[in-house]
Amino acid sequence: MSTASFFSKGLLDSGIGEVINPDTYFQTNLPPRTLPEDEKKVKEFVNKHNKAGRRIVLITSGGTTVPLENNTVRFLDNFSAGTRGATSAEYPFNSFLQFSLQPYSRHYTHSTNCFLDFIELKNDGHIEVISQYVPKMKSILEKYQKVKQEGALLLISFVTVADYLFLLRSVTQIMKDLNEHAMYYLAAAVSDFFIPSQKMVQHKIQSADGGLTLTMDQVPKFLKPLVTNWAPKGFIVSFKLETDPFLLVDKSRQALTKYGHQIVIGNLLTTRKQEVTFITKDSEPKMQLTEEEINNNIEIESKIVPELVKRHDEWIKNAQKENS
Ligand code: 9Z3
Protein backbone atom coordinates (compact mmCIF):
# COMPACT_ATOMS: atom_id res chain seq x y z
CA MET A 1 0.00 0.00 0.00
CA SER A 2 1.37 3.40 -0.77
CA THR A 3 0.11 6.92 -0.88
CA ALA A 4 1.61 9.52 -3.09
CA SER A 5 3.60 12.64 -2.62
CA PHE A 6 2.68 15.12 -5.26
CA PHE A 7 5.47 17.28 -6.50
CA SER A 8 4.63 19.83 -9.07
CA LYS A 9 6.14 23.23 -9.83
CA GLY A 10 7.54 23.61 -6.36
CA LEU A 11 4.52 22.31 -4.47
CA LEU A 12 5.20 19.26 -2.34
CA ASP A 13 2.33 17.58 -0.57
CA SER A 14 3.73 14.76 1.50
CA GLY A 15 1.92 11.60 2.54
CA ILE A 16 2.66 8.34 4.30
CA GLY A 17 4.21 5.94 1.83
CA GLU A 18 4.75 2.23 1.82
CA VAL A 19 6.35 1.11 5.08
CA ILE A 20 9.04 -1.54 4.84
CA ASN A 21 11.22 -2.93 7.60
CA PRO A 22 14.95 -2.20 7.79
CA ASP A 23 15.95 -5.76 6.76
CA THR A 24 13.90 -5.50 3.58
CA TYR A 25 15.40 -2.07 2.96
CA PHE A 26 18.94 -3.46 3.07
CA GLN A 27 18.00 -6.43 0.89
CA THR A 28 16.41 -4.27 -1.80
CA ASN A 29 18.80 -1.32 -1.97
CA LEU A 30 22.41 -1.23 -3.05
CA PRO A 31 25.20 -0.34 -0.62
CA PRO A 32 27.63 2.43 -1.60
CA ARG A 33 30.52 1.10 -3.69
CA THR A 34 33.05 2.40 -1.16
CA LEU A 35 31.50 0.57 1.81
CA PRO A 36 34.21 -2.13 2.18
CA GLU A 37 36.99 0.52 2.12
CA ASP A 38 35.15 2.70 4.61
CA GLU A 39 34.54 -0.25 6.91
CA LYS A 40 38.25 -1.02 6.84
CA LYS A 41 39.16 2.57 7.78
CA VAL A 42 36.61 2.58 10.58
CA LYS A 43 37.88 -0.73 11.99
CA GLU A 44 41.45 0.60 12.05
CA PHE A 45 40.36 3.85 13.67
CA VAL A 46 38.26 2.12 16.31
CA ASN A 47 40.96 -0.47 17.15
CA LYS A 48 43.67 2.15 17.44
CA HIS A 49 41.76 4.52 19.73
CA ASN A 50 40.17 1.75 21.74
CA LYS A 51 43.58 0.24 22.47
CA ALA A 52 44.79 3.67 23.59
CA GLY A 53 41.84 3.84 25.99
CA ARG A 54 40.15 6.73 24.21
CA ARG A 55 36.42 7.10 23.84
CA ILE A 56 34.98 7.14 20.38
CA VAL A 57 32.06 9.18 19.13
CA LEU A 58 30.22 8.71 15.89
CA ILE A 59 28.95 12.05 14.64
CA THR A 60 26.64 12.06 11.66
CA SER A 61 26.02 15.33 9.92
CA GLY A 62 24.64 16.91 6.79
CA GLY A 63 21.70 16.18 4.52
CA THR A 64 20.81 12.90 2.85
CA THR A 65 19.60 13.01 -0.74
CA VAL A 66 16.93 10.95 -2.40
CA PRO A 67 17.53 10.43 -6.12
CA LEU A 68 14.57 10.65 -8.49
CA GLU A 69 16.29 8.84 -11.38
CA ASN A 70 18.71 5.90 -11.37
CA ASN A 71 21.05 7.96 -13.56
CA THR A 72 20.58 10.83 -11.17
CA VAL A 73 20.09 14.34 -12.44
CA ARG A 74 17.38 15.32 -9.93
CA PHE A 75 17.14 14.55 -6.24
CA LEU A 76 15.31 15.74 -3.13
CA ASP A 77 17.39 16.76 -0.15
CA ASN A 78 16.77 17.07 3.56
CA PHE A 79 17.83 20.40 4.93
CA SER A 80 21.19 20.63 6.67
CA ALA A 81 24.27 22.65 5.94
CA GLY A 82 26.20 20.17 8.07
CA THR A 83 27.08 22.88 10.57
CA ARG A 84 25.85 21.02 13.64
CA GLY A 85 28.07 17.99 13.18
CA ALA A 86 31.10 19.83 11.84
CA THR A 87 31.00 22.33 14.69
CA SER A 88 30.43 19.67 17.33
CA ALA A 89 33.40 17.67 16.07
CA GLU A 90 35.68 20.59 16.96
CA TYR A 91 34.78 20.34 20.63
CA PRO A 92 36.37 17.55 22.67
CA PHE A 93 35.14 14.34 21.06
CA ASN A 94 37.08 11.64 19.19
CA SER A 95 34.94 11.47 16.14
CA PHE A 96 34.09 10.57 12.63
CA LEU A 97 31.52 10.48 9.84
CA GLN A 98 30.60 12.73 6.98
CA PHE A 99 30.24 16.43 7.08
CA SER A 100 28.83 18.58 4.29
CA LEU A 101 30.81 21.22 6.00
CA GLN A 102 33.98 19.80 7.46
CA PRO A 103 35.28 20.56 10.91
CA TYR A 104 38.02 23.22 10.92
CA SER A 105 37.84 24.00 7.19
CA ARG A 106 34.16 24.97 7.73
CA HIS A 107 35.41 28.38 8.90
CA TYR A 108 36.61 29.06 5.37
CA THR A 109 34.25 27.13 3.11
CA HIS A 110 30.81 28.64 3.71
CA SER A 111 29.41 30.58 0.75
CA THR A 112 29.88 33.70 2.86
CA ASN A 113 33.34 32.61 4.05
CA CYS A 114 35.20 31.85 0.85
CA PHE A 115 38.83 31.09 1.75
CA LEU A 116 39.99 33.29 -1.16
CA ASP A 117 38.72 36.33 0.76
CA PHE A 118 41.16 35.57 3.58
CA ILE A 119 44.34 35.62 1.47
CA GLU A 120 46.09 38.13 -0.74
CA LEU A 121 48.54 38.04 -3.60
CA LYS A 122 51.66 40.10 -2.84
CA ASN A 123 53.66 42.05 -5.43
CA ASP A 124 56.47 39.48 -5.31
CA GLY A 125 54.03 36.68 -6.23
CA HIS A 126 53.67 35.23 -2.72
CA ILE A 127 50.26 34.46 -1.28
CA GLU A 128 49.70 35.44 2.35
CA VAL A 129 46.89 35.33 4.89
CA ILE A 130 45.60 38.90 5.37
CA SER A 131 47.03 40.01 8.72
CA GLN A 132 43.70 40.73 10.44
CA TYR A 133 42.64 37.08 9.92
CA VAL A 134 45.89 35.53 11.16
CA PRO A 135 45.06 35.17 14.90
CA LYS A 136 41.82 33.26 14.31
CA MET A 137 43.29 31.15 11.50
CA LYS A 138 46.35 30.36 13.60
CA SER A 139 44.23 29.07 16.45
CA ILE A 140 42.07 26.91 14.13
CA LEU A 141 45.15 25.63 12.30
CA GLU A 142 46.83 24.64 15.57
CA LYS A 143 43.81 22.63 16.65
CA TYR A 144 43.40 21.10 13.20
CA GLN A 145 47.04 20.02 13.02
CA LYS A 146 46.89 18.50 16.50
CA VAL A 147 43.79 16.47 15.61
CA LYS A 148 45.43 15.37 12.34
CA GLN A 149 48.66 14.39 14.05
CA GLU A 150 46.77 12.29 16.60
CA GLY A 151 44.61 10.77 13.88
CA ALA A 152 41.68 11.71 16.10
CA LEU A 153 39.24 12.45 13.31
CA LEU A 154 38.12 10.15 10.54
CA LEU A 155 35.88 11.66 7.89
CA ILE A 156 33.67 9.47 5.78
CA SER A 157 31.26 10.82 3.24
CA PHE A 158 27.83 9.86 2.06
CA VAL A 159 25.43 11.48 -0.34
CA THR A 160 22.18 9.54 -0.57
CA VAL A 161 20.01 8.29 2.25
CA ALA A 162 20.92 4.72 1.18
CA ASP A 163 24.66 5.49 1.49
CA TYR A 164 23.99 6.92 4.93
CA LEU A 165 21.95 3.98 6.20
CA PHE A 166 24.38 1.33 4.98
CA LEU A 167 27.26 3.24 6.56
CA LEU A 168 25.37 3.81 9.79
CA ARG A 169 24.61 0.10 10.12
CA SER A 170 28.20 -0.90 9.41
CA VAL A 171 29.82 1.67 11.66
CA THR A 172 27.54 1.06 14.63
CA GLN A 173 28.14 -2.66 14.35
CA ILE A 174 31.90 -2.13 14.22
CA MET A 175 31.58 0.01 17.36
CA LYS A 176 29.22 -2.40 19.10
CA ASP A 177 31.94 -4.02 21.25
CA LEU A 178 32.88 -0.64 22.73
CA ASN A 179 29.61 -1.02 24.65
CA GLU A 180 28.89 1.90 26.98
CA HIS A 181 32.12 3.67 25.97
CA ALA A 182 30.77 4.59 22.54
CA MET A 183 28.65 7.65 21.90
CA TYR A 184 26.43 8.09 18.85
CA TYR A 185 25.59 11.69 17.97
CA LEU A 186 23.08 11.53 15.16
CA ALA A 187 22.70 15.01 13.70
CA ALA A 188 22.44 14.09 10.00
CA ALA A 189 19.13 15.09 8.47
CA VAL A 190 17.64 11.79 7.40
CA SER A 191 15.09 11.76 4.59
CA ASP A 192 11.76 10.23 5.53
CA PHE A 193 10.78 9.31 1.98
CA PHE A 194 12.58 7.69 -0.92
CA ILE A 195 11.98 5.97 -4.24
CA PRO A 196 13.27 2.38 -4.30
CA SER A 197 15.61 1.88 -7.23
CA GLN A 198 13.40 -0.78 -8.84
CA LYS A 199 10.56 1.79 -8.96
CA MET A 200 12.76 4.61 -10.23
CA VAL A 201 13.06 5.55 -13.90
CA GLN A 202 16.43 4.79 -15.42
CA HIS A 203 17.02 8.05 -17.26
CA LYS A 204 16.46 11.75 -16.71
CA ILE A 205 12.76 12.55 -16.29
CA GLN A 206 11.60 14.60 -19.26
CA SER A 207 9.73 17.84 -18.74
CA ALA A 208 7.88 17.79 -22.07
CA ASP A 209 4.75 16.34 -20.42
CA GLY A 210 4.37 19.19 -17.92
CA GLY A 211 4.17 18.62 -14.15
CA LEU A 212 5.59 15.73 -12.20
CA THR A 213 3.82 13.34 -9.84
CA LEU A 214 5.94 11.24 -7.53
CA THR A 215 5.07 8.25 -5.40
CA MET A 216 7.54 7.78 -2.57
CA ASP A 217 7.91 5.04 0.00
CA GLN A 218 8.74 5.66 3.61
CA VAL A 219 12.32 5.19 4.76
CA PRO A 220 12.20 2.65 7.61
CA LYS A 221 12.83 4.06 11.07
CA PHE A 222 16.43 3.09 11.74
CA LEU A 223 16.65 4.25 15.28
CA LYS A 224 14.77 1.15 16.39
CA PRO A 225 17.30 -1.47 15.15
CA LEU A 226 20.16 0.88 16.04
CA VAL A 227 19.07 1.16 19.66
CA THR A 228 17.94 -2.45 20.00
CA ASN A 229 20.51 -4.41 18.00
CA TRP A 230 23.32 -2.40 16.42
CA ALA A 231 24.52 -0.46 19.46
CA PRO A 232 22.42 -1.68 22.40
CA LYS A 233 24.81 -0.52 25.13
CA GLY A 234 25.98 2.72 23.56
CA PHE A 235 25.07 6.24 24.61
CA ILE A 236 22.76 7.39 21.84
CA VAL A 237 21.81 10.99 21.14
CA SER A 238 19.53 11.81 18.23
CA PHE A 239 18.37 15.18 16.93
CA LYS A 240 14.83 16.09 16.04
CA LEU A 241 14.18 18.93 13.64
CA GLU A 242 10.82 20.65 13.51
CA THR A 243 9.55 23.93 12.14
CA ASP A 244 6.44 24.23 14.32
CA PRO A 245 7.38 25.24 17.89
CA PHE A 246 4.19 23.67 19.23
CA LEU A 247 5.21 20.23 17.96
CA LEU A 248 8.87 20.17 18.95
CA VAL A 249 8.79 18.85 22.51
CA ASP A 250 5.97 16.35 21.90
CA LYS A 251 7.57 14.93 18.76
CA SER A 252 10.97 14.70 20.43
CA ARG A 253 9.50 12.93 23.44
CA GLN A 254 7.58 10.55 21.18
CA ALA A 255 10.87 9.62 19.49
CA LEU A 256 12.57 9.02 22.84
CA THR A 257 9.70 6.85 24.09
CA LYS A 258 9.45 4.91 20.85
CA TYR A 259 13.13 4.10 20.43
CA GLY A 260 14.18 4.02 24.10
CA HIS A 261 17.57 5.70 23.71
CA GLN A 262 19.15 8.27 26.03
CA ILE A 263 18.58 11.77 24.64
CA VAL A 264 16.69 13.50 21.88
CA ILE A 265 17.89 17.02 21.20
CA GLY A 266 14.99 18.98 19.74
CA ASN A 267 15.67 22.02 17.61
CA LEU A 268 13.69 24.39 15.42
CA LEU A 269 14.90 25.28 11.96
CA THR A 270 14.90 29.01 12.62
CA THR A 271 16.51 29.01 16.09
CA ARG A 272 18.71 25.89 15.94
CA LYS A 273 21.93 27.84 16.36
CA GLN A 274 20.75 29.60 19.52
CA GLU A 275 18.48 27.16 21.30
CA VAL A 276 17.98 23.41 21.73
CA THR A 277 15.91 21.29 24.12
CA PHE A 278 17.40 18.20 25.76
CA ILE A 279 14.66 15.59 26.07
CA THR A 280 15.53 12.78 28.47
CA LYS A 281 13.43 10.18 30.25
CA ASP A 282 12.70 12.48 33.17
CA SER A 283 13.51 16.04 32.11
CA GLU A 284 13.41 18.47 29.23
CA PRO A 285 15.78 21.37 29.94
CA LYS A 286 16.35 24.08 27.35
CA MET A 287 19.85 25.15 26.45
CA GLN A 288 20.08 28.70 25.13
CA LEU A 289 22.72 31.20 24.18
CA THR A 290 22.40 34.60 25.84
CA GLU A 291 22.32 37.79 23.75
CA GLU A 292 25.87 38.45 24.89
CA GLU A 293 27.06 35.00 23.82
CA ILE A 294 25.39 35.43 20.42
CA ASN A 295 27.11 38.79 19.97
CA ASN A 296 30.43 37.16 20.88
CA ASN A 297 29.94 34.41 18.27
CA ILE A 298 29.74 31.66 20.88
CA GLU A 299 28.52 28.46 19.27
CA ILE A 300 25.81 26.47 21.01
CA GLU A 301 27.79 23.28 20.30
CA SER A 302 30.37 24.56 22.81
CA LYS A 303 27.66 23.95 25.43
CA ILE A 304 26.01 20.87 23.93
CA VAL A 305 29.21 18.81 23.69
CA PRO A 306 30.46 19.25 27.32
CA GLU A 307 26.95 18.53 28.61
CA LEU A 308 26.84 15.30 26.60
CA VAL A 309 30.34 14.31 27.66
CA LYS A 310 29.24 14.77 31.30
CA ARG A 311 26.12 12.68 30.78
CA HIS A 312 28.14 10.04 28.95
CA ASP A 313 30.53 9.85 31.95
CA GLU A 314 27.54 9.14 34.19
CA TRP A 315 26.25 6.55 31.71
CA ILE A 316 29.59 4.73 31.81
CA LYS A 317 29.75 4.87 35.63
CA ASN A 318 26.24 3.43 35.94
CA ALA A 319 26.98 0.67 33.42
CA GLN A 320 30.15 -0.23 35.33
CA LYS A 321 28.24 -0.32 38.62
CA GLU A 322 25.68 -2.67 37.07
CA ASN A 323 28.43 -4.91 35.70
CA SER A 324 30.31 -5.17 38.98
C1 9Z3 B 1 19.00 18.15 13.18
O1 9Z3 B 1 18.01 18.46 13.76
C2 9Z3 B 1 20.23 19.05 13.08
O2 9Z3 B 1 20.42 19.75 14.27
C3 9Z3 B 1 20.08 20.05 11.88
C4 9Z3 B 1 21.39 20.82 11.81
C5 9Z3 B 1 19.86 19.31 10.58
C6 9Z3 B 1 18.94 21.02 12.11
P1 9Z3 B 1 22.73 22.47 10.31
O3 9Z3 B 1 23.76 21.41 10.12
O4 9Z3 B 1 21.37 21.71 10.73
O5 9Z3 B 1 23.07 23.38 11.45
O6 9Z3 B 1 22.38 23.20 9.06
N1 9Z3 B 1 19.05 16.97 12.53
C7 9Z3 B 1 17.83 16.24 12.30
C8 9Z3 B 1 18.10 14.82 12.45
C9 9Z3 B 1 17.03 13.94 11.89
O7 9Z3 B 1 16.70 13.95 10.73
N2 9Z3 B 1 16.58 13.09 12.80
C10 9Z3 B 1 15.73 11.99 12.49
C11 9Z3 B 1 14.30 12.33 12.77
O8 9Z3 B 1 14.00 13.36 13.39
C12 9Z3 B 1 16.05 10.85 13.42
S1 9Z3 B 1 17.73 10.44 13.61
O9 9Z3 B 1 13.44 11.52 12.35
Side-chain angles (χ1 to χ4, degrees):
M1 186 258 340
S2 72
T3 53
S5 292
F6 177 67
F7 182 40
S8 176
K9 298 197 170 69
L11 181 71
L12 180 65
D13 172 22
S14 60
I16 306 217
E18 189 170 328
V19 184
I20 54 164
N21 69 44
D23 288 341
T24 311
Y25 181 90
F26 288 118
Q27 281 154 13
T28 51
N29 286 277
L30 283 177
R33 260 197 300 260
T34 50
L35 189 64
E37 263 164 64
D38 289 336
E39 286 174 335
K40 188 166 169 271
K41 285 189 217 159
V42 173
K43 278 182 193 153
E44 283 166 9
F45 182 92
V46 169
N47 286 340
K48 176 179 140 189
H49 290 292
N50 189 33
K51 262 194 205 139
R54 298 193 190 103
R55 280 192 215 165
I56 296 170
V57 180
L58 168 67
I59 301 177
T60 74
S61 175
T64 50
T65 68
V66 170
L68 303 188
E69 300 125 340
N70 274 315
N71 292 326
T72 310
V73 175
R74 277 58 158 267
F75 55 84
L76 300 181
D77 203 354
N78 250 50
F79 170 82
S80 171
T83 319
R84 175 79 73 216
T87 308
S88 303
E90 288 181 21
Y91 293 97
F93 273 153
N94 259 344
S95 46
F96 55 101
L97 212 57
Q98 119 101 29
F99 308 89
S100 326
L101 276 175
Q102 296 204 344
Y104 306 102
S105 68
R106 76 184 166 101
H107 298 277
Y108 305 102
T109 49
H110 253 294
S111 51
T112 50
N113 272 353
C114 171
F115 77 97
L116 293 172
D117 292 331
F118 294 82
I119 53 180
E120 62 187 348
L121 185 59
K122 303 302 251 190
N123 288 338
D124 65 1
H126 277 90
I127 293 173
E128 261 181 34
V129 175
I130 300 168
S131 57
Q132 74 191 90
Y133 302 123
V134 167
K136 182 175 173 198
M137 198 177 281
K138 189 169 169 276
S139 122
I140 294 168
L141 191 62
E142 274 166 5
K143 288 184 204 149
Y144 174 63
Q145 287 183 338
K146 184 168 180 280
V147 161
K148 249 177 91 172
Q149 222 168 27
E150 292 169 351
L153 186 69
L154 174 65
L155 299 177
I156 292 183
S157 36
F158 55 81
V159 177
T160 66
V161 71
D163 297 347
Y164 174 74
L165 294 174
F166 274 97
L167 268 168
L168 185 66
R169 183 179 66 159
S170 288
V171 172
T172 48
Q173 288 178 338
I174 293 169
M175 291 172 65
K176 189 174 183 176
D177 290 343
L178 303 173
N179 294 326
E180 67 273 12
H181 296 280
M183 189 196 298
Y184 303 85
Y185 182 91
L186 308 174
V190 187
S191 299
D192 285 314
F193 305 105
F194 79 116
I195 306 178
S197 76
Q198 70 276 13
K199 292 188 188 168
M200 226 185 308
V201 294
Q202 194 60 19
H203 293 291
K204 184 184 163 200
I205 299 167
Q206 296 299 315
S207 62
D209 301 332
L212 175 64
T213 303
L214 291 177
T215 302
M216 304 185 86
D217 288 356
Q218 207 178 16
V219 171
K221 300 292 180 197
F222 284 88
L223 272 171
K224 191 74 207 168
L226 194 154
V227 174
T228 316
N229 301 320
W230 303 347
K233 298 198 174 153
F235 184 73
I236 301 170
V237 181
S238 73
F239 278 79
K240 185 90 201 153
L241 174 64
E242 289 296 339
T243 55
D244 180 347
F246 295 104
L247 287 182
L248 183 66
V249 170
D250 281 355
K251 297 286 286 193
S252 303
R253 181 152 300 287
Q254 273 170 31
L256 191 80
T257 309
K258 189 164 171 193
Y259 304 120
H261 55 305
Q262 286 63 59
I263 301 181
V264 175
I265 302 184
N267 57 172
L268 290 170
L269 186 64
T270 46
T271 56
R272 69 191 189 284
K273 291 183 197 257
Q274 296 95 43
E275 185 180 310
V276 296
T277 308
F278 272 56
I279 311 285
T280 68
K281 215 167 131 213
D282 42 29
S283 66
E284 41 200 55
K286 254 192 192 166
M287 184 178 272
Q288 263 170 322
L289 292 179
T290 61
E291 275 303 311
E292 199 190 340
E293 286 171 329
I294 295 170
N295 295 337
N296 287 324
N297 296 321
I298 302 293
E299 295 168 318
I300 194 156
E301 290 79 4
S302 70
K303 295 178 171 233
I304 296 176
V305 173
E307 180 59 31
L308 291 178
V309 170
K310 196 179 90 196
R311 288 171 186 248
H312 188 204
D313 285 345
E314 286 158 17
W315 173 257
I316 293 173
K317 268 188 214 138
N318 285 339
Q320 286 170 347
K321 250 189 247 157
E322 275 171 29
N323 293 341
S324 63

